[in-house]
Amino acid sequence: MHMPMFIRDYTDFYAGRDHAFRVGTMYRGPQNALQPNYYHIPVGYHGRASSVVVSGVDIKRYVVRAMKLT
């Protein structure tokens, strides 16, 4: 199988509050994890085009260690 098109870039959106909270915690800490606009407008982020593959293709997921920010 092959990809029917070349995907250069895309934007993804935080659909779930928990997902947005966890990501926001990494950048801003738990007190400010969700920005005030989260409940009023869609929050998007830049997606990785390299993660778009044909259905059924095995994906190697790397184990990443996260440093705790102090």
Side-chain angles (χ1 to χ4, degrees), residues 2-55:
H2 69 281
M3 293 285 283
M5 65 189 76
F6 179 72
I7 301 173
R8 295 182 186 278
D9 235 354
Y10 73 96
T11 301
D12 206 351
F13 292 89
Y14 293 111
R17 182 195 177 282
D18 292 334
H19 180 219
F21 182 83
R22 285 192 299 271
V23 173
T25 298
M26 290 189 298
Y27 293 106
R28 295 179 293 277
Q31 296 81 11
N32 299 314
L34 293 178
Q35 298 291 315
N37 64 349
Y38 176 78
Y39 295 103
H40 305 289
I41 62 171
V43 179
Y45 61 95
H46 183 259
R48 292 183 311 223
S50 63
S51 64
V52 179
V53 297
V54 176
S55 180

Side-chain angles (χ1 to χ4, degrees), residues 49-66:
S50 63
S51 64
V52 179
V53 297
V54 176
S55 180
V57 171
D58 289 334
I59 299 173
K60 182 175 182 175
R61 301 203 182 269
Y62 295 94
V63 177
V64 178
R65 290 185 179 182

